[in-house]
Amino acid sequence: MKRYFLLAIVIFFGVFPVCLKAQQIQTDRPNETESPAVVPDRHLQLESGFHYEKEDGIQTVESPQAVMRYGLFRNAELRFETAFQFTREDGQSQIGIQPSAVGIKYHVLDHKGVLPDLAVLSRLYIPWMADKAFKEDHYSPELRVLAQHEVSSKAHLGYNLGVQWVSENLQPEYIYAFSADHALTKRIKLVVEAYGTVLSHHHAQNTADAALLFILSPDVQLDITAGTGLMHGGSQKFAAAGFSIRI
């Protein structure tokens, strides 16, 4: 299945020329809270990164993570998401591509007064677009409502509510995410976030993190993140770094 990842990289680096846009890049990484912003019409945005996690003795590395977003028209984008994963547990390791996902985001409403920016995101995780070690049993659809309030010219509040049907048994898993960001300078932004998932008759798995975003140009962003599980989130600890570019 490595051919899918290689094909995606070839497509990305085969798109030229690079153009600068006035609007600052807005990404869906590094946090779990997806933004209601879409990529401008006929532009491609690549969001890539490295993620390390340790939970209950299991170590996981995802590198690279890759999200490719293409502006289909003014209010909509197409998406392709994949990640190459290495997992180690009790001296045993697995390596390969996770189930990749295709999706679409549609921007429904621009913020005005107390009304937030609003969008809908749907995606489908495809079980056969993965290496053998990570193949799932079923297709796994996900649907989210994405909202963001502009508190000031320097600060925003964002939140997501959604549901994903777990591949193993197609049982619905409910998703929430809440984030707040503040521009420390014109080029540095701080983001704090809490998010979680819950299955029926189970405790919610809750997580919190903090990130710094470095805006190198209107089209280029670097990020670093650290986070931890909360309450029933177990012993989860993670750190990540990433690079995003719009062309």
mmCIF file of all heavy atoms in Angstrom, residues 26-29 31-39 43-45 47 66-72 76-82 100-106 119-126 129 142 144 146 160:
data_model
loop_
_atom_site.group_PDB
_atom_site.id
_atom_site.type_symbol
_atom_site.label_atom_id
_atom_site.label_comp_id
_atom_site.label_asym_id
_atom_site.label_seq_id
_atom_site.Cartn_x
_atom_site.Cartn_y
_atom_site.Cartn_z
ATOM 1 N N GLN A 26 -4.771 28.921 6.995
ATOM 2 C CA GLN A 26 -5.505 28.369 8.129
ATOM 3 C C GLN A 26 -5.489 26.852 7.997
ATOM 4 O O GLN A 26 -5.895 26.317 6.965
ATOM 5 C CB GLN A 26 -6.939 28.888 8.170
ATOM 6 C CG GLN A 26 -7.027 30.403 8.374
ATOM 7 C CD GLN A 26 -8.456 30.858 8.598
ATOM 8 O OE1 GLN A 26 -9.120 30.441 9.548
ATOM 9 N NE2 GLN A 26 -8.940 31.713 7.725
ATOM 10 N N THR A 27 -5.009 26.183 9.028
ATOM 11 C CA THR A 27 -4.794 24.739 8.953
ATOM 12 C C THR A 27 -5.728 23.987 9.908
ATOM 13 O O THR A 27 -6.292 24.577 10.834
ATOM 14 C CB THR A 27 -3.339 24.387 9.298
ATOM 15 O OG1 THR A 27 -3.102 24.707 10.674
ATOM 16 C CG2 THR A 27 -2.372 25.154 8.422
ATOM 17 N N ASP A 28 -5.840 22.685 9.683
ATOM 18 C CA ASP A 28 -6.565 21.810 10.601
ATOM 19 C C ASP A 28 -5.613 21.075 11.535
ATOM 20 O O ASP A 28 -6.037 20.199 12.282
ATOM 21 C CB ASP A 28 -7.417 20.804 9.824
ATOM 22 C CG ASP A 28 -8.687 21.430 9.291
ATOM 23 O OD1 ASP A 28 -9.060 22.519 9.770
ATOM 24 O OD2 ASP A 28 -9.306 20.844 8.384
ATOM 25 N N ARG A 29 -4.344 21.379 11.492
ATOM 26 C CA ARG A 29 -3.370 20.846 12.421
ATOM 27 C C ARG A 29 -2.793 22.010 13.209
ATOM 28 O O ARG A 29 -2.896 23.160 12.766
ATOM 29 C CB ARG A 29 -2.267 20.042 11.733
ATOM 30 C CG ARG A 29 -1.357 20.759 10.791
ATOM 31 C CD ARG A 29 -0.081 19.979 10.502
ATOM 32 N NE ARG A 29 0.692 19.787 11.713
ATOM 33 C CZ ARG A 29 0.933 18.585 12.258
ATOM 34 N NH1 ARG A 29 0.508 17.488 11.690
ATOM 35 N NH2 ARG A 29 1.625 18.477 13.387
ATOM 36 N N ASN A 31 -4.014 20.648 16.087
ATOM 37 C CA ASN A 31 -4.961 20.198 17.107
ATOM 38 C C ASN A 31 -6.077 19.349 16.506
ATOM 39 O O ASN A 31 -6.219 19.214 15.301
ATOM 40 C CB ASN A 31 -5.537 21.407 17.868
ATOM 41 C CG ASN A 31 -6.028 22.495 16.943
ATOM 42 O OD1 ASN A 31 -5.892 22.409 15.734
ATOM 43 N ND2 ASN A 31 -6.627 23.513 17.502
ATOM 44 N N GLU A 32 -6.902 18.779 17.376
ATOM 45 C CA GLU A 32 -8.000 17.924 16.958
ATOM 46 C C GLU A 32 -9.199 18.729 16.472
ATOM 47 O O GLU A 32 -10.008 18.242 15.689
ATOM 48 C CB GLU A 32 -8.411 17.019 18.125
ATOM 49 C CG GLU A 32 -9.543 16.076 17.843
ATOM 50 C CD GLU A 32 -9.192 14.974 16.855
ATOM 51 O OE1 GLU A 32 -7.982 14.695 16.700
ATOM 52 O OE2 GLU A 32 -10.116 14.407 16.241
ATOM 53 N N THR A 33 -9.331 19.965 16.942
ATOM 54 C CA THR A 33 -10.455 20.819 16.560
ATOM 55 C C THR A 33 -10.280 21.282 15.121
ATOM 56 O O THR A 33 -9.364 22.042 14.809
ATOM 57 C CB THR A 33 -10.553 22.044 17.488
ATOM 58 O OG1 THR A 33 -10.543 21.622 18.847
ATOM 59 C CG2 THR A 33 -11.839 22.819 17.213
ATOM 60 N N GLU A 34 -11.147 20.821 14.235
ATOM 61 C CA GLU A 34 -11.056 21.184 12.828
ATOM 62 C C GLU A 34 -11.637 22.583 12.614
ATOM 63 O O GLU A 34 -12.680 22.935 13.170
ATOM 64 C CB GLU A 34 -11.831 20.182 11.970
ATOM 65 C CG GLU A 34 -11.446 18.724 12.198
ATOM 66 C CD GLU A 34 -10.262 18.301 11.346
ATOM 67 O OE1 GLU A 34 -9.625 19.180 10.736
ATOM 68 O OE2 GLU A 34 -9.985 17.103 11.276
ATOM 69 N N SER A 35 -10.979 23.383 11.793
ATOM 70 C CA SER A 35 -11.426 24.741 11.500
ATOM 71 C C SER A 35 -12.548 24.733 10.468
ATOM 72 O O SER A 35 -12.563 23.889 9.565
ATOM 73 C CB SER A 35 -10.249 25.558 10.966
ATOM 74 O OG SER A 35 -10.695 26.744 10.340
ATOM 75 N N PRO A 36 -13.505 25.682 10.549
ATOM 76 C CA PRO A 36 -14.519 25.784 9.499
ATOM 77 C C PRO A 36 -13.995 26.407 8.202
ATOM 78 O O PRO A 36 -14.701 26.420 7.192
ATOM 79 C CB PRO A 36 -15.600 26.674 10.138
ATOM 80 C CG PRO A 36 -14.874 27.480 11.160
ATOM 81 C CD PRO A 36 -13.775 26.602 11.676
ATOM 82 N N ALA A 37 -12.754 26.914 8.205
ATOM 83 C CA ALA A 37 -12.177 27.517 7.004
ATOM 84 C C ALA A 37 -11.894 26.454 5.951
ATOM 85 O O ALA A 37 -11.502 25.331 6.272
ATOM 86 C CB ALA A 37 -10.892 28.264 7.350
ATOM 87 N N VAL A 38 -12.076 26.810 4.684
ATOM 88 C CA VAL A 38 -11.741 25.914 3.577
ATOM 89 C C VAL A 38 -10.600 26.524 2.769
ATOM 90 O O VAL A 38 -10.356 27.729 2.806
ATOM 91 C CB VAL A 38 -12.963 25.658 2.662
ATOM 92 C CG1 VAL A 38 -14.069 24.956 3.430
ATOM 93 C CG2 VAL A 38 -13.480 26.955 2.048
ATOM 94 N N VAL A 39 -9.905 25.686 2.030
ATOM 95 C CA VAL A 39 -8.802 26.141 1.179
ATOM 96 C C VAL A 39 -9.376 26.945 0.014
ATOM 97 O O VAL A 39 -10.418 26.587 -0.547
ATOM 98 C CB VAL A 39 -8.005 24.932 0.658
ATOM 99 C CG1 VAL A 39 -6.952 25.348 -0.342
ATOM 100 C CG2 VAL A 39 -7.371 24.185 1.829
ATOM 101 N N HIS A 43 -6.683 25.930 -5.138
ATOM 102 C CA HIS A 43 -5.380 25.892 -4.474
ATOM 103 C C HIS A 43 -5.257 24.593 -3.688
ATOM 104 O O HIS A 43 -6.251 24.012 -3.255
ATOM 105 C CB HIS A 43 -5.201 27.095 -3.539
ATOM 106 C CG HIS A 43 -5.031 28.385 -4.273
ATOM 107 N ND1 HIS A 43 -3.879 28.727 -4.926
ATOM 108 C CD2 HIS A 43 -5.893 29.413 -4.474
ATOM 109 C CE1 HIS A 43 -4.022 29.911 -5.499
ATOM 110 N NE2 HIS A 43 -5.239 30.352 -5.237
ATOM 111 N N LEU A 44 -4.009 24.159 -3.514
ATOM 112 C CA LEU A 44 -3.706 22.930 -2.789
ATOM 113 C C LEU A 44 -2.983 23.276 -1.501
ATOM 114 O O LEU A 44 -2.091 24.129 -1.494
ATOM 115 C CB LEU A 44 -2.823 22.018 -3.647
ATOM 116 C CG LEU A 44 -2.388 20.694 -3.022
ATOM 117 C CD1 LEU A 44 -3.581 19.767 -2.827
ATOM 118 C CD2 LEU A 44 -1.328 20.025 -3.892
ATOM 119 N N GLN A 45 -3.354 22.630 -0.420
ATOM 120 C CA GLN A 45 -2.699 22.834 0.872
ATOM 121 C C GLN A 45 -2.263 21.484 1.414
ATOM 122 O O GLN A 45 -3.061 20.551 1.495
ATOM 123 C CB GLN A 45 -3.668 23.521 1.832
ATOM 124 C CG GLN A 45 -3.040 23.947 3.150
ATOM 125 C CD GLN A 45 -3.901 24.968 3.876
ATOM 126 O OE1 GLN A 45 -4.230 26.019 3.321
ATOM 127 N NE2 GLN A 45 -4.278 24.676 5.095
ATOM 128 N N GLU A 47 -0.629 19.609 4.728
ATOM 129 C CA GLU A 47 -0.340 19.702 6.160
ATOM 130 C C GLU A 47 0.313 18.392 6.577
ATOM 131 O O GLU A 47 -0.310 17.333 6.499
ATOM 132 C CB GLU A 47 -1.632 19.972 6.932
ATOM 133 C CG GLU A 47 -2.342 21.229 6.447
ATOM 134 C CD GLU A 47 -3.696 21.466 7.093
ATOM 135 O OE1 GLU A 47 -4.014 20.755 8.083
ATOM 136 O OE2 GLU A 47 -4.433 22.344 6.636
ATOM 137 N N ALA A 66 -0.028 13.166 6.810
ATOM 138 C CA ALA A 66 -0.246 14.021 5.637
ATOM 139 C C ALA A 66 -1.733 14.227 5.407
ATOM 140 O O ALA A 66 -2.508 13.272 5.382
ATOM 141 C CB ALA A 66 0.388 13.410 4.393
ATOM 142 N N VAL A 67 -2.117 15.485 5.288
ATOM 143 C CA VAL A 67 -3.471 15.863 4.894
ATOM 144 C C VAL A 67 -3.348 16.756 3.671
ATOM 145 O O VAL A 67 -2.673 17.790 3.720
ATOM 146 C CB VAL A 67 -4.217 16.605 6.019
ATOM 147 C CG1 VAL A 67 -5.626 16.992 5.566
ATOM 148 C CG2 VAL A 67 -4.269 15.769 7.279
ATOM 149 N N MET A 68 -3.953 16.345 2.563
ATOM 150 C CA MET A 68 -3.976 17.151 1.349
ATOM 151 C C MET A 68 -5.362 17.703 1.139
ATOM 152 O O MET A 68 -6.336 16.943 1.121
ATOM 153 C CB MET A 68 -3.522 16.327 0.143
ATOM 154 C CG MET A 68 -2.018 16.286 0.039
ATOM 155 S SD MET A 68 -1.440 15.074 -1.147
ATOM 156 C CE MET A 68 -1.454 13.615 -0.121
ATOM 157 N N ARG A 69 -5.454 19.025 1.022
ATOM 158 C CA ARG A 69 -6.738 19.714 0.903
ATOM 159 C C ARG A 69 -6.728 20.548 -0.378
ATOM 160 O O ARG A 69 -5.807 21.342 -0.598
ATOM 161 C CB ARG A 69 -6.965 20.616 2.123
ATOM 162 C CG ARG A 69 -6.860 19.892 3.444
ATOM 163 C CD ARG A 69 -6.759 20.839 4.624
ATOM 164 N NE ARG A 69 -7.894 21.755 4.702
ATOM 165 C CZ ARG A 69 -7.946 22.792 5.537
ATOM 166 N NH1 ARG A 69 -6.923 23.052 6.352
ATOM 167 N NH2 ARG A 69 -9.010 23.582 5.548
ATOM 168 N N TYR A 70 -7.761 20.369 -1.189
ATOM 169 C CA TYR A 70 -7.836 21.085 -2.465
ATOM 170 C C TYR A 70 -9.131 21.885 -2.530
ATOM 171 O O TYR A 70 -10.218 21.341 -2.289
ATOM 172 C CB TYR A 70 -7.769 20.102 -3.637
ATOM 173 C CG TYR A 70 -7.883 20.786 -4.986
ATOM 174 C CD1 TYR A 70 -6.810 21.499 -5.500
ATOM 175 C CD2 TYR A 70 -9.061 20.731 -5.724
ATOM 176 C CE1 TYR A 70 -6.904 22.138 -6.722
ATOM 177 C CE2 TYR A 70 -9.169 21.369 -6.949
ATOM 178 C CZ TYR A 70 -8.078 22.072 -7.445
ATOM 179 O OH TYR A 70 -8.174 22.713 -8.644
ATOM 180 N N GLY A 71 -9.018 23.175 -2.841
ATOM 181 C CA GLY A 71 -10.179 24.044 -2.949
ATOM 182 C C GLY A 71 -10.971 23.742 -4.209
ATOM 183 O O GLY A 71 -10.559 24.091 -5.320
ATOM 184 N N LEU A 72 -12.111 23.083 -4.046
ATOM 185 C CA LEU A 72 -12.928 22.656 -5.183
ATOM 186 C C LEU A 72 -13.672 23.826 -5.800
ATOM 187 O O LEU A 72 -13.697 24.007 -7.011
ATOM 188 C CB LEU A 72 -13.908 21.586 -4.714
ATOM 189 C CG LEU A 72 -14.689 20.813 -5.765
ATOM 190 C CD1 LEU A 72 -13.749 20.079 -6.710
ATOM 191 C CD2 LEU A 72 -15.654 19.834 -5.099
ATOM 192 N N ALA A 76 -16.045 24.983 -0.726
ATOM 193 C CA ALA A 76 -15.860 23.549 -0.518
ATOM 194 C C ALA A 76 -14.441 23.117 -0.847
ATOM 195 O O ALA A 76 -13.779 23.689 -1.718
ATOM 196 C CB ALA A 76 -16.852 22.752 -1.367
ATOM 197 N N GLU A 77 -13.974 22.091 -0.141
ATOM 198 C CA GLU A 77 -12.665 21.501 -0.407
ATOM 199 C C GLU A 77 -12.770 19.988 -0.373
ATOM 200 O O GLU A 77 -13.588 19.411 0.350
ATOM 201 C CB GLU A 77 -11.640 21.964 0.636
ATOM 202 C CG GLU A 77 -11.897 21.411 2.035
ATOM 203 C CD GLU A 77 -10.829 21.820 3.045
ATOM 204 O OE1 GLU A 77 -10.361 22.967 2.984
ATOM 205 O OE2 GLU A 77 -10.474 20.981 3.907
ATOM 206 N N LEU A 78 -11.914 19.347 -1.166
ATOM 207 C CA LEU A 78 -11.730 17.900 -1.115
ATOM 208 C C LEU A 78 -10.501 17.604 -0.266
ATOM 209 O O LEU A 78 -9.543 18.394 -0.235
ATOM 210 C CB LEU A 78 -11.536 17.335 -2.522
ATOM 211 C CG LEU A 78 -12.740 17.397 -3.462
ATOM 212 C CD1 LEU A 78 -12.333 16.901 -4.840
ATOM 213 C CD2 LEU A 78 -13.905 16.573 -2.916
ATOM 214 N N ARG A 79 -10.503 16.430 0.394
ATOM 215 C CA ARG A 79 -9.410 16.089 1.309
ATOM 216 C C ARG A 79 -8.977 14.638 1.121
ATOM 217 O O ARG A 79 -9.795 13.769 0.819
ATOM 218 C CB ARG A 79 -9.872 16.258 2.766
ATOM 219 C CG ARG A 79 -10.382 17.638 3.101
ATOM 220 C CD ARG A 79 -11.216 17.597 4.377
ATOM 221 N NE ARG A 79 -10.428 17.207 5.534
ATOM 222 C CZ ARG A 79 -9.851 18.065 6.369
ATOM 223 N NH1 ARG A 79 -9.969 19.372 6.169
ATOM 224 N NH2 ARG A 79 -9.166 17.640 7.411
ATOM 225 N N PHE A 80 -7.682 14.418 1.330
ATOM 226 C CA PHE A 80 -7.135 13.065 1.411
ATOM 227 C C PHE A 80 -6.193 13.038 2.610
ATOM 228 O O PHE A 80 -5.318 13.901 2.742
ATOM 229 C CB PHE A 80 -6.392 12.683 0.137
ATOM 230 C CG PHE A 80 -5.740 11.331 0.219
ATOM 231 C CD1 PHE A 80 -6.487 10.171 0.099
ATOM 232 C CD2 PHE A 80 -4.370 11.221 0.444
ATOM 233 C CE1 PHE A 80 -5.885 8.922 0.191
ATOM 234 C CE2 PHE A 80 -3.759 9.982 0.532
ATOM 235 C CZ PHE A 80 -4.528 8.823 0.397
ATOM 236 N N GLU A 81 -6.369 12.048 3.501
ATOM 237 C CA GLU A 81 -5.592 11.979 4.731
ATOM 238 C C GLU A 81 -4.956 10.604 4.871
ATOM 239 O O GLU A 81 -5.610 9.582 4.647
ATOM 240 C CB GLU A 81 -6.497 12.261 5.945
ATOM 241 C CG GLU A 81 -7.273 13.569 5.817
ATOM 242 C CD GLU A 81 -8.223 13.807 6.986
ATOM 243 O OE1 GLU A 81 -7.886 13.403 8.120
ATOM 244 O OE2 GLU A 81 -9.295 14.385 6.763
ATOM 245 N N THR A 82 -3.689 10.590 5.256
ATOM 246 C CA THR A 82 -2.986 9.326 5.454
ATOM 247 C C THR A 82 -1.869 9.532 6.467
ATOM 248 O O THR A 82 -1.509 10.664 6.811
ATOM 249 C CB THR A 82 -2.427 8.787 4.128
ATOM 250 O OG1 THR A 82 -1.959 7.456 4.311
ATOM 251 C CG2 THR A 82 -1.293 9.654 3.600
ATOM 252 N N SER A 100 -6.403 5.090 5.092
ATOM 253 C CA SER A 100 -6.474 6.462 4.601
ATOM 254 C C SER A 100 -7.927 6.919 4.531
ATOM 255 O O SER A 100 -8.855 6.097 4.547
ATOM 256 C CB SER A 100 -5.811 6.558 3.232
ATOM 257 O OG SER A 100 -4.459 6.149 3.317
ATOM 258 N N ALA A 101 -8.122 8.228 4.469
ATOM 259 C CA ALA A 101 -9.473 8.777 4.468
ATOM 260 C C ALA A 101 -9.624 9.784 3.337
ATOM 261 O O ALA A 101 -8.692 10.531 3.006
ATOM 262 C CB ALA A 101 -9.783 9.446 5.800
ATOM 263 N N VAL A 102 -10.804 9.797 2.737
ATOM 264 C CA VAL A 102 -11.184 10.830 1.783
ATOM 265 C C VAL A 102 -12.351 11.597 2.381
ATOM 266 O O VAL A 102 -13.139 11.045 3.162
ATOM 267 C CB VAL A 102 -11.571 10.238 0.413
ATOM 268 C CG1 VAL A 102 -10.381 9.602 -0.251
ATOM 269 C CG2 VAL A 102 -12.706 9.222 0.556
ATOM 270 N N GLY A 103 -12.458 12.877 2.040
ATOM 271 C CA GLY A 103 -13.535 13.654 2.642
ATOM 272 C C GLY A 103 -13.803 14.936 1.910
ATOM 273 O O GLY A 103 -13.125 15.298 0.936
ATOM 274 N N ILE A 104 -14.802 15.655 2.395
ATOM 275 C CA ILE A 104 -15.164 16.951 1.849
ATOM 276 C C ILE A 104 -15.600 17.856 2.997
ATOM 277 O O ILE A 104 -16.247 17.394 3.954
ATOM 278 C CB ILE A 104 -16.288 16.828 0.787
ATOM 279 C CG1 ILE A 104 -16.541 18.193 0.117
ATOM 280 C CG2 ILE A 104 -17.564 16.243 1.385
ATOM 281 C CD1 ILE A 104 -17.373 18.093 -1.135
ATOM 282 N N LYS A 105 -15.167 19.110 2.944
ATOM 283 C CA LYS A 105 -15.600 20.113 3.911
ATOM 284 C C LYS A 105 -16.365 21.202 3.161
ATOM 285 O O LYS A 105 -15.897 21.690 2.125
ATOM 286 C CB LYS A 105 -14.404 20.733 4.643
ATOM 287 C CG LYS A 105 -14.798 21.743 5.733
ATOM 288 C CD LYS A 105 -13.620 22.582 6.191
ATOM 289 C CE LYS A 105 -12.619 21.794 6.983
ATOM 290 N NZ LYS A 105 -11.571 22.686 7.583
ATOM 291 N N TYR A 106 -17.518 21.587 3.706
ATOM 292 C CA TYR A 106 -18.344 22.626 3.083
ATOM 293 C C TYR A 106 -18.585 23.740 4.088
ATOM 294 O O TYR A 106 -19.109 23.498 5.184
ATOM 295 C CB TYR A 106 -19.671 22.055 2.600
ATOM 296 C CG TYR A 106 -20.523 23.074 1.870
ATOM 297 C CD1 TYR A 106 -20.230 23.426 0.555
ATOM 298 C CD2 TYR A 106 -21.596 23.701 2.497
ATOM 299 C CE1 TYR A 106 -20.988 24.370 -0.119
ATOM 300 C CE2 TYR A 106 -22.358 24.644 1.839
ATOM 301 C CZ TYR A 106 -22.051 24.977 0.525
ATOM 302 O OH TYR A 106 -22.806 25.932 -0.123
ATOM 303 N N ALA A 119 -19.218 25.185 9.379
ATOM 304 C CA ALA A 119 -18.943 24.275 8.273
ATOM 305 C C ALA A 119 -19.329 22.862 8.672
ATOM 306 O O ALA A 119 -19.515 22.552 9.855
ATOM 307 C CB ALA A 119 -17.470 24.325 7.876
ATOM 308 N N VAL A 120 -19.430 22.005 7.665
ATOM 309 C CA VAL A 120 -19.704 20.587 7.867
ATOM 310 C C VAL A 120 -18.574 19.799 7.212
ATOM 311 O O VAL A 120 -18.178 20.090 6.077
ATOM 312 C CB VAL A 120 -21.059 20.177 7.262
ATOM 313 C CG1 VAL A 120 -21.272 18.673 7.406
ATOM 314 C CG2 VAL A 120 -22.196 20.937 7.937
ATOM 315 N N LEU A 121 -18.046 18.816 7.936
ATOM 316 C CA LEU A 121 -16.966 17.966 7.433
ATOM 317 C C LEU A 121 -17.434 16.513 7.441
ATOM 318 O O LEU A 121 -17.903 16.012 8.466
ATOM 319 C CB LEU A 121 -15.723 18.109 8.310
ATOM 320 C CG LEU A 121 -14.574 17.133 8.044
ATOM 321 C CD1 LEU A 121 -14.001 17.315 6.650
ATOM 322 C CD2 LEU A 121 -13.486 17.289 9.104
ATOM 323 N N SER A 122 -17.309 15.859 6.300
ATOM 324 C CA SER A 122 -17.582 14.420 6.250
ATOM 325 C C SER A 122 -16.367 13.730 5.652
ATOM 326 O O SER A 122 -15.728 14.258 4.731
ATOM 327 C CB SER A 122 -18.824 14.125 5.405
ATOM 328 O OG SER A 122 -18.624 14.527 4.061
ATOM 329 N N ARG A 123 -16.029 12.569 6.198
ATOM 330 C CA ARG A 123 -14.917 11.793 5.652
ATOM 331 C C ARG A 123 -15.183 10.314 5.846
ATOM 332 O O ARG A 123 -15.989 9.911 6.685
ATOM 333 C CB ARG A 123 -13.590 12.219 6.259
ATOM 334 C CG ARG A 123 -13.480 12.162 7.739
ATOM 335 C CD ARG A 123 -12.146 12.772 8.177
ATOM 336 N NE ARG A 123 -12.173 13.178 9.567
ATOM 337 C CZ ARG A 123 -11.414 14.140 10.081
ATOM 338 N NH1 ARG A 123 -10.549 14.793 9.323
ATOM 339 N NH2 ARG A 123 -11.488 14.451 11.359
ATOM 340 N N LEU A 124 -14.472 9.532 5.052
ATOM 341 C CA LEU A 124 -14.653 8.093 5.052
ATOM 342 C C LEU A 124 -13.289 7.426 5.106
ATOM 343 O O LEU A 124 -12.452 7.630 4.215
ATOM 344 C CB LEU A 124 -15.396 7.650 3.789
ATOM 345 C CG LEU A 124 -15.669 6.147 3.654
ATOM 346 C CD1 LEU A 124 -16.666 5.687 4.713
ATOM 347 C CD2 LEU A 124 -16.184 5.837 2.247
ATOM 348 N N TYR A 125 -13.052 6.635 6.161
ATOM 349 C CA TYR A 125 -11.811 5.873 6.290
ATOM 350 C C TYR A 125 -11.977 4.573 5.509
ATOM 351 O O TYR A 125 -12.943 3.833 5.702
ATOM 352 C CB TYR A 125 -11.501 5.595 7.754
ATOM 353 C CG TYR A 125 -11.137 6.837 8.525
ATOM 354 C CD1 TYR A 125 -12.133 7.613 9.127
ATOM 355 C CD2 TYR A 125 -9.818 7.258 8.623
ATOM 356 C CE1 TYR A 125 -11.809 8.771 9.816
ATOM 357 C CE2 TYR A 125 -9.485 8.418 9.314
ATOM 358 C CZ TYR A 125 -10.488 9.164 9.908
ATOM 359 O OH TYR A 125 -10.162 10.318 10.590
ATOM 360 N N ILE A 126 -11.025 4.307 4.611
ATOM 361 C CA ILE A 126 -11.133 3.194 3.669
ATOM 362 C C ILE A 126 -10.243 2.047 4.136
ATOM 363 O O ILE A 126 -9.013 2.182 4.156
ATOM 364 C CB ILE A 126 -10.731 3.667 2.261
ATOM 365 C CG1 ILE A 126 -11.631 4.846 1.839
ATOM 366 C CG2 ILE A 126 -10.839 2.520 1.259
ATOM 367 C CD1 ILE A 126 -11.209 5.513 0.558
ATOM 368 N N MET A 129 -7.217 0.720 1.984
ATOM 369 C CA MET A 129 -6.115 1.648 1.707
ATOM 370 C C MET A 129 -5.208 1.732 2.934
ATOM 371 O O MET A 129 -5.041 2.772 3.559
ATOM 372 C CB MET A 129 -6.643 3.029 1.305
ATOM 373 C CG MET A 129 -7.304 3.045 -0.058
ATOM 374 S SD MET A 129 -7.788 4.703 -0.609
ATOM 375 C CE MET A 129 -6.178 5.442 -0.900
ATOM 376 N N GLU A 142 -17.386 9.358 9.111
ATOM 377 C CA GLU A 142 -17.377 10.357 10.181
ATOM 378 C C GLU A 142 -18.066 11.620 9.692
ATOM 379 O O GLU A 142 -17.919 12.014 8.531
ATOM 380 C CB GLU A 142 -15.939 10.679 10.602
ATOM 381 C CG GLU A 142 -15.832 11.722 11.704
ATOM 382 C CD GLU A 142 -14.394 12.059 12.059
ATOM 383 O OE1 GLU A 142 -13.513 11.189 11.870
ATOM 384 O OE2 GLU A 142 -14.148 13.189 12.510
ATOM 385 N N ARG A 144 -18.879 15.714 11.109
ATOM 386 C CA ARG A 144 -18.673 16.732 12.151
ATOM 387 C C ARG A 144 -19.290 18.065 11.731
ATOM 388 O O ARG A 144 -19.275 18.439 10.555
ATOM 389 C CB ARG A 144 -17.184 16.991 12.393
ATOM 390 C CG ARG A 144 -16.412 15.883 13.014
ATOM 391 C CD ARG A 144 -15.085 16.415 13.541
ATOM 392 N NE ARG A 144 -14.164 15.349 13.883
ATOM 393 C CZ ARG A 144 -13.078 15.516 14.630
ATOM 394 N NH1 ARG A 144 -12.782 16.731 15.083
ATOM 395 N NH2 ARG A 144 -12.285 14.501 14.902
ATOM 396 N N LEU A 146 -18.513 22.004 12.443
ATOM 397 C CA LEU A 146 -17.365 22.802 12.850
ATOM 398 C C LEU A 146 -17.799 24.253 13.028
ATOM 399 O O LEU A 146 -18.453 24.819 12.142
ATOM 400 C CB LEU A 146 -16.260 22.743 11.795
ATOM 401 C CG LEU A 146 -16.021 21.399 11.098
ATOM 402 C CD1 LEU A 146 -14.977 21.558 9.999
ATOM 403 C CD2 LEU A 146 -15.601 20.334 12.103
ATOM 404 N N ASN A 160 -16.079 21.576 17.829
ATOM 405 C CA ASN A 160 -16.602 20.555 16.919
ATOM 406 C C ASN A 160 -17.513 19.618 17.699
ATOM 407 O O ASN A 160 -17.248 19.303 18.861
ATOM 408 C CB ASN A 160 -15.485 19.681 16.338
ATOM 409 C CG ASN A 160 -14.501 20.414 15.454
ATOM 410 O OD1 ASN A 160 -13.526 19.813 15.025
ATOM 411 N ND2 ASN A 160 -14.702 21.689 15.186
#
